[in-house]
Amino acid sequence: MNTFNPSQAFADFFFLAIDHGFASVENGGGPLVPFTMLVDPAGQRKLTRFAMDKLEDGVQAAKNSVAPTGATAMYAIAWDGFVTLEGRKWDAICVEAGETQAEFGVLFCQRYITAKKGLLRRTRSVRVGNPALIGNTPSRLWVGGGL
C-alpha cells in the first residue's frame, strides 16, 4: 500500500464529503443517495446526486461521472454501503476521493448504527468510531503526470 500523506486541503475535502454523507442519514433520512463532490482548480465546489432505482446503479453512475478533464482538481464519491472491520459487518458511509496530482486516491468508510432516540423513539443513525482508511484506489483524475 502507498504511503498516505494528504495535503490539509485534500483531507478537509474528503472529511467534508464523509460528514455530508453521514448528515444525510443521521436523522433517519437514509439510505444515502450516492453523490459526487467536485472541486475545480479555482476552489469552487459542486455536489451532484445520482438517484436511481437501484442503489448500485447510482454508485456506478457517480463513479462513471468523474473523469480527468482538467476541470476538476479534487473529487469525492459517496455512497451508503457496508464495511467489515474487526470481524463485523457494519453499515457505513463510504467515500472514494482523489486529486489531480496524485496517482492514488483513498477509500474511507464511516461506520454507523441505527438506534432509537428520544421520547418518540425515532430512529437515528449514530457514528461508530472515526472514519477508517480502507485503502488506496487509483485516482480517477490521474493522467500519468498531471495536466
Side-chain angles (χ1 to χ4, degrees):
M1 185 178 294
N2 299 298
T3 303
F4 180 60
N5 189 17
S7 68
Q8 189 62 51
F10 184 54
D12 290 346
F13 174 66
F14 64 73
F15 282 122
L16 174 67
I18 293 167
D19 290 343
H20 182 79
F22 182 75
S24 297
V25 300
E26 186 172 19
N27 291 317
L32 173 67
V33 174
F35 67 85
T36 58
M37 193 178 286
L38 307 176
V39 176
D40 70 19
Q44 296 296 310
R45 290 192 298 248
K46 178 182 177 186
L47 181 110
T48 305
R49 295 196 181 275
F50 294 83
M52 307 279 180
D53 289 337
K54 293 182 182 176
L55 177 66
E56 57 270 18
D57 292 342
V59 173
Q60 193 59 52
K63 289 179 176 181
N64 291 344
S65 75
V66 178
T69 63
T72 305
M74 294 185 282
Y75 75 92
I77 303 166
W79 67 94
D80 200 348
F82 298 99
V83 63
T84 301
L85 292 173
E86 302 165 355
R88 179 176 170 189
K89 185 176 180 180
W90 299 86
D91 288 311
I93 300 301
C94 301
V95 173
E96 174 192 322
E99 52 189 335
T100 304
Q101 71 271 18
E103 182 177 1
F104 293 96
V106 292
L107 175 62
F108 272 90
C109 290
Q110 172 63 63
R111 296 174 290 165
Y112 69 90
I113 58 171
T114 302
K116 301 256 184 202
K117 295 278 185 181
L119 211 44
L120 300 175
R121 309 289 291 165
R122 290 188 49 187
T123 300
R124 178 166 192 200
S125 296
V126 178
R127 291 178 195 244
V128 175
N130 293 318
L133 174 61
I134 303 303
N136 293 109
T137 60
S139 174
R140 295 174 189 275
L141 302 179
W142 178 253
V143 291
L147 296 175

